[in-house]
């Protein structure tokens, strides 16, 4: 009975607790399904992760290789640099001549085409340049393990007025610069920590120019050595350099050297530069009718300038203003120490001021002024005064096209001790110009331009020359219209 | 009792349902094991994934950096291009002289070594070239944000016959090209959408040549400006340009300019080019015995050509055929506007046809033909006829070695108004040649070649010169065997 | 009742087996929580993995792209190479002259400044060089699909003594090398498997020099063709070449060629080189007072050298020792076949030995010796003996600074057949030198140096010249102190 009862009870229980066993079975089934599903999901995840790990590893390896390759390529690519300045094209005048000069008996056109040009008096260059001038810079950079950097630069330049493609007979190709500069010098400390040292032949790093005149303010160059950026005070950096120059172009007098020692200081926006020079044998060079009364054997040259961060505080842009003074061999105020044909007593003073104002998206304006007074320059008793004023304006029309306008004026009062002349030079130029992007402003290049200029001057200047040489060329007669097709670029 | 019974029952149940608790335990144990295992697997997955996520992130970062670096490097690398054409080597003849010329009293060897060479009549060049000629191109490319592209190119070239390593006294180094070209100009639309604008000094882009003659069909070059690819019709593209040239090599007459205006049209495979030129002062240049009767002050030049996409429809390759006509300054048919020593009445017509056929993997053949008739060219009454035929064949032997054969013939009937001569020139050359890959065809370079040539001509031509100048060099006597070791390359 | 009982029983059971259902519930809850948690974790893992897979894929793609870009950039960058040698600076003497020469009537300073310099007898160069000399190499490399490699090289060089930046009138710019070399030539096998073939104009690859003397041991160069590295034995590699040279600098005699055939063998550290040359027309050149008694028409030249892997077995470094012999045109022992002004009977023998020892981190030393005996060199009966000894030492002070010392001595016993002189030359130089890293050793460049030298020589040599030409320059008087600022670099 108990058995019966028991059996019955079990059956009853089984009936009464279906959930228990059903649940047991259910749980069993569902859990095992879930577990199986989870395991499957995990397996799948593992498989995917295996693959992804490999993918990521390989991507990482590939990326590492790519980075190495890219870095090497970048190093390779950046260890070499190619830079250039170039202008080339065609200048025609209303007489059917190529250059404005025609017969080769007058000065060719260009920023130094006036009678005062021989003194370094420039006029606005736009539309006047007839030469094909090119500077090609090849640069090699390297870095030592200790962090010291070196830069090697060679500049090969050429300039001539021929329109022909083969110009071997007119070629002026020459090496204008070749130097090495060391920077980030690992063992330099204190005031010299950020100093750069160079030797070779170079244009001084801190030369600066008024582009519109094609005139440097100072152009110091030659062979020698120097140091830049010696920190003499909180805001005061100085350069020290020794440059050599040669006087005379005939090879026999090549050894008449001029040695120039320069100290160039930047104190905030102020610049003060002083150069002394000596050429002990200069007075022993051969003389002609156009030679100085007494050839100077030494000289001194100073520059005092202010580099403004705005257009005279009036508009966005920049402006620079200053004064240069020199005597003896230092009386050539731009090309420091480069002119050996100066009188012992030569004295010169030059003022300059120029700037660029970005008026708005359409208009930009750049006025420039330069004036010089010099005395006893070549012959004792000579006296030269000139002042140049130039304004260049650009008016953007499209992304690629702008009109460029230039007006230029020069006053000359010249007395070479034997004869004198005074008068004025005028130029007006309009130049439709194609650019990569007119948004780049005045100094964005390349420019492809067509320019029409009208130039005229006082008749009194036509046949006047500062030099007393018979072969010196005068300005010739004015009133010419010039047409130019020109490319100008730098990069 | 119930309690007892109950206890009993429970015990019974417990015995009856062992599976329930056993299962419970079992399930408990196995589920917990599974869960634990799953958790462990998940933990492991998480750990691996953590790592992989980092790996992938880092790989991604690294790849991004590498991409940036690679792009920069690529931009750096591609902003500069170096290209060249060069040939250099050694030419010997069976008389023990260096050049075929020996004593400097006859024309040197080369494609223009015949009496008609002075008229631009070429013969096959292979094995005749004694000069070391090199063109070095440095190119800078940039792209503005607006998409406008610019290309700057300078070509520095040299050519001389010296075998010495230091050739400063024979150096002809000069800047043959320096120009900037703008393309993809963002604000250009319509017919000008794909136009390119250039200014500076250049070889016209669409000049083309017969390589085997070392002769351009047209060689337009100089300083100026122009526009390419103005779309005048569906299939019609036009170029417009103004080029300047200088006449005279002495510096005093450098300013005798010739101005050339050109329109060059491509309509499908047809080309039509017309150039007008004016040199208002050309007749004012100094005269000698060899000067034109009346120096031309203007000229016109036309080219009509067909550029075939196959070898005259007969085989794979290409062929080009055309006619050139000119008068006055336009009578110099190849170097458009480059010859100022042409008679006012000069008239010339030139025919050309050449092609290259890739016969099979082994043989390639390139026939070329050029002929000219000109009259009143320099002196009124002169008359010049010449025709040149050349065939070059190449037979590949291995991946790197081929035999190159060239046969050349020129007919001349020359009358300079004072004296006349007519006759023939023959040349046969065989040149074992080493290449990087002979599969590259005729124009694959570099080629390192040894060449043996036999040249001969009619005795009547030996002392004849077209020029009436006393210093003009004749051909000298023929029947020479020439041995050459030469490299030629371009890239 | 049973129902009642049953109910009761169930209630009892439920009470009796709370764990069963509690466990069931518990297990249920915890398992389901665990499962849920696991599922959630798996879901999260899936989500993360989805993302990571993408990241990894993208990273992989990006890395692939970067690799392609980097490879392209690297190819672009490495297809071009820029190399240079350059020295430039300023040399002053205690007389205030630029060059030590001053008046242009005596030999300028430099390693060939002595009376024996005309024979190729050098003295130590440090502190004596007044020229700005630069070699610019542009190289293009490419690889064909078949693996054949090509290298194109052009070297443009200039050298002059002017300190000016614009040196177009003194420019010596010229193309010294332009050649193509093929290597890894796919169809070459056997002894030629690793051979390189070249043609064009070049400096022979295996020329080597004593840097401190600025003198090559052999300097073979010119136009021609050749093959390098033909494997003639296990340890034996040979070069075969033909070079042409021109005798005479006037263009009319440019065609007097000298043909040089050379075999150059390297067997382990031993080198044996033999060159034969012929210039069939050399004796037909014009003669002057300084011309050879009988101009040689042919010559033979040999070099036997040992290239040591240590400093004479004494210290780390290297050393090279050898002997050169020549007769006729081969009696110019350095510039093989480059001197046409040699007597038919000319005989010369030269010994050399030099090495560099890296003594320790601070000191390095490089002694060099060269001596020559020649007879019947220009005039029958002349006899020249000279020996040069030089020692350069460097002492490192910091990472960037070292002192360099050089002592140089030359013995001369010269008899040109008409007059004779003998005596000695002495030089001592001390040069504070700035480098990128002094750890680089003697040959690490750039060097920026200041050098002070004292040079003196026997008074007997002051006015002696080997040449009988009136224009030949003598040494002038000794006892000079020289100050130099100089950059020297190569890369």
């Amino acid at each position: 009975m108990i058995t019966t009862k028991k059996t019955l009870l079990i059956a009853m229980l089984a009936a009464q607790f279906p959930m228990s066993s059903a649940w047991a079975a259910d749980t069993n089934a569902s859990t095992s399904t879930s577990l199986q599903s989870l395991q499957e999901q995990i397996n799948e995840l593992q498989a995917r992760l295996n693959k992804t790990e490999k993918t990521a590893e390989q991507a990482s390896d590939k990326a590492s290789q790519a980075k190495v390759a890219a870095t090497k390529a970048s190093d390779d690519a950046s260890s070499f640099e190619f830079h250039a300045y170039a202008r080339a094209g065609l200048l025609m005048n209303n007489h059917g001549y190529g250059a404005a000069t025609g017969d080769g008996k007058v000065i060719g056109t260009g920023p130094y085409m006036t009678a005062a040009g021989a003194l370094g008096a420039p006029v606005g260059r736009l539309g006047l340049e007839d030469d094909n001038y090119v500077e090609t810079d090849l640069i090699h950079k390297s870095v030592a393990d200790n962090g010291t950097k070196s830069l090697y630069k060679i500049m090969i330049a050429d300039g001539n007025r021929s329109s022909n493609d083969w110009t071997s007979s007119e070629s002026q190709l020459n090496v204008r610069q070749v130097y090495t500069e060391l920077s980030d010098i690992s063992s330099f400390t204190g005031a010299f920590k950020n100093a750069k040292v160079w030797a070779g032949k170079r244009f001084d790093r801190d030369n600066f120019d008024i582009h519109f005149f094609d005139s440097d303010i100072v152009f110091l160059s030659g062979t020698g050595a120097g140091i830049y950026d010696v920190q003499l005070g909180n805001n005061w950096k100085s350069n020290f350099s020794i440059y050599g120059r040669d006087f005379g172009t005939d090879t026999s007098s090549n050894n008449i050297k001029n040695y120039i020692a320069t100290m160039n200081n930047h104190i905030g926006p102020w610049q003060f530069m002083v150069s002394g020079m000596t050429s002990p044998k200069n007075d022993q060079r051969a003389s002609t009718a156009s030679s100085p009364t007494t050839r100077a054997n030494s000289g001194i040259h100073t520059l005092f300038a202010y580099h403004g961060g705005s257009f005279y505080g009036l508009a966005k842009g920049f402006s620079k203003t200053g004064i240069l003074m020199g005597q003896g061999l230092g009386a050539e105020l731009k090309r420091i120490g480069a002119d050996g044909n100066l009188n012992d007593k030569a004295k010169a003073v030059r003022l300059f001021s120029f700037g660029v104002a970005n008026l708005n998206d359409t208009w930009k304006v750049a006025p420039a002024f330069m004036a010089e007074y010099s005395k006893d320059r070549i012959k004792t008793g000579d006296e030269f005064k000139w002042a140049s004023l130039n304004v260049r304006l650009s008016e953007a029309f499209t992304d690629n096209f702008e009109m460029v306008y230039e007006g230029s004026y020069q006053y000359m009062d010249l007395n070479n001790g034997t004869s004198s002349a005074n008068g004025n030079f005028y130029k007006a130029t309009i130049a439709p110009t194609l650019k990569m992007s007119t948004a780049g402003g005045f100094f964005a290049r390349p420019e492809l331009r067509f320019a029409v200029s009208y130039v005229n001057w006082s008749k009194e200047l036509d046949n006047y020359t500062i030099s007393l040489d018979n072969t010196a060329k005068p300005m010739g007669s004015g009133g010419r219209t010039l047409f130019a097709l020109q490319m100008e670029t730098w990069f």
Side-chain angles (χ1 to χ4, degrees), chain A:
Chain A
M1 187 213 94
I2 282 174
T3 307
T4 314
K5 263 195 172 170
K6 194 175 92 185
T7 308
L8 175 73
L9 183 70
I10 286 163
M12 274 164 57
L13 272 165
Q16 265 312 312
F17 292 114
M19 61 168 180
S20 175
S21 84
W23 172 89
D26 253 26
T27 300
N28 200 4
S30 102
T31 299
S32 105
T33 304
S34 292
L35 286 171
Q36 201 178 327
S37 153
L38 287 175
Q39 185 61 54
E40 276 163 13
Q41 290 178 54
I42 285 171
N43 289 347
E44 197 203 321
L45 277 173
Q46 277 173 331
R48 284 171 59 191
L49 189 53
N50 284 344
K51 211 177 133 197
T52 303
E53 277 173 349
K54 269 188 211 140
T55 307
E57 278 305 328
Q58 285 165 357
S60 180
D61 287 356
K62 239 190 300 184
S64 295
Q65 293 160 22
K67 210 170 157 186
V68 168
T71 304
K72 199 198 158 301
S74 187
D75 287 354
D76 280 5
S78 67
S79 74
F80 171 74
E81 287 180 23
F82 170 48
H83 296 284
Y85 170 84
R87 59 175 179 267
L90 190 57
L91 190 66
M92 301 165 263
N93 75 5
N94 58 341
H95 298 152
Y97 286 110
T101 64
D103 58 5
K105 288 173 192 153
V106 298
I107 305 172
T109 54
Y112 297 95
M113 67 185 287
T114 69
L119 302 168
V123 296
R125 71 200 298 186
L126 189 66
L128 296 184
E129 292 166 323
D130 190 30
D131 58 340
N132 304 300
Y133 177 75
V134 55
E135 291 174 351
T136 300
D137 295 329
L138 304 179
I139 288 170
H140 173 77
K141 290 176 167 179
S142 63
V143 187
D145 287 342
N146 64 27
T148 306
K149 291 180 182 166
S150 95
L151 179 149
Y152 168 80
K153 177 172 175 172
I154 179 169
M155 174 192 278
I156 298 176
D158 183 41
N160 68 65
R161 290 176 179 241
S162 172
S163 281
N164 293 340
D165 63 289
W166 186 262
T167 55
S168 62
S169 57
E170 299 95 356
S171 179
Q172 303 285 305
L173 271 172
N174 71 101
V175 177
R176 294 196 78 182
Q177 298 190 72
V178 50
Y179 68 88
T180 296
E181 186 175 288
L182 297 183
S183 61
D184 299 87
I185 300 167
S186 64
S187 58
F188 275 20
T189 55
F192 295 93
K193 196 170 174 9
N194 298 308
K196 295 172 173 67
V197 183
W198 68 270
K201 178 192 279 197
R202 78 173 296 169
F203 299 173
D204 194 71
R205 188 194 66 180
D206 289 354
N207 292 341
F208 64 108
D209 73 333
I210 303 183
H211 171 72
F212 317 104
F213 279 145
D214 192 19
S215 176
D216 280 80
I217 299 303
V218 283
F219 181 72
L220 176 62
S221 69
T223 59
I227 185 164
Y228 290 121
D229 300 334
V230 179
Q231 196 85 38
L232 294 188
N234 228 354
N235 236 340
W236 180 9
K237 284 183 180 180
S238 282
N239 312 331
F240 301 87
S241 55
I242 290 175
Y243 281 93
R245 298 283 309 181
D246 279 80
F247 288 155
T249 53
D250 57 323
T251 43
S252 64
S253 62
N254 248 346
N255 290 313
I256 304 303
K257 294 265 175 187
N258 187 22
Y259 302 107
I260 308 151
T262 295
M263 184 196 189
N264 194 357
N265 303 278
H266 291 275
I267 306 170
W270 300 96
Q271 179 184 4
F272 175 65
M273 182 180 185
V274 58
S275 308
M277 62 204 76
T278 175
S279 177
K281 309 272 176 188
N282 193 34
D283 56 358
Q284 296 175 16
R285 287 168 60 207
S287 280
T288 67
S290 60
S291 295
T293 306
T294 307
R295 235 186 260 272
N297 274 4
S298 66
I300 188 144
H301 176 284
T302 56
L303 159 70
F304 191 68
Y306 179 82
H307 298 257
S310 73
F311 184 71
Y312 301 104
L314 301 170
K316 276 195 289 185
F318 72 89
S319 59
K320 293 170 192 271
T321 303
I323 183 167
L324 300 105
M325 285 175 293
Q327 63 176 57
L329 290 173
E332 163 54 50
L333 295 174
K334 179 172 74 172
R335 300 175 302 127
I336 302 174
D339 188 354
N341 290 315
L342 288 165
N343 189 21
D344 201 22
K345 300 182 176 173
K347 279 173 287 296
V349 59
R350 188 181 282 199
L351 297 171
F352 72 89
S353 189
F354 73 106
V356 171
N358 301 310
L359 300 184
N360 52 44
D361 283 356
T362 303
W363 286 95
K364 282 155 190 71
V365 60
F369 170 78
M370 200 185 274
E372 188 182 76
Y373 173 80
S374 58
K375 205 174 134 54
D376 305 328
R377 188 184 181 100
I378 304 163
K379 301 292 187 188
T380 302
D382 64 17
E383 191 175 15
F384 305 105
K385 298 175 205 158
W386 57 262
S388 297
L389 185 64
N390 190 74
V391 180
R392 192 180 287 193
L393 286 136
S394 75
E395 182 187 10
F397 282 84
T398 75
D399 244 28
N400 301 104
F401 182 78
E402 67 188 21
M403 293 298 293
V404 182
Y405 314 95
E406 191 172 85
S408 210
Y409 166 80
Q410 187 176 83
Y411 168 78
M412 292 159 261
D413 183 356
L414 311 170
N415 177 0
N416 62 17
T418 298
S419 64
S420 65
N422 75 64
N424 310 295
F425 168 96
Y426 310 87
K427 187 200 74 149
T429 303
I430 177 166
T433 300
L434 203 60
K435 304 184 81 150
M436 289 183 78
S437 169
T438 50
F442 259 128
F443 297 112
R445 292 294 181 280
E447 287 191 349
L448 306 185
R449 56 175 77 114
F450 171 60
V452 184
S453 304
Y454 180 76
V455 292
N456 207 353
W457 52 83
S458 312
K459 263 210 127 5
E460 195 181 339
L461 296 164
D462 287 5
N463 298 306
Y464 188 79
T465 62
I466 284 175
S467 169
L468 295 170
D469 257 335
N470 289 331
T471 58
K473 293 179 182 176
M475 292 179 77
S477 58
R480 311 179 205 163
T481 304
L482 301 166
F483 306 91
L485 290 168
Q486 195 194 34
M487 166 279 284
E488 185 182 48
T489 194
W490 59 71
F491 57 85

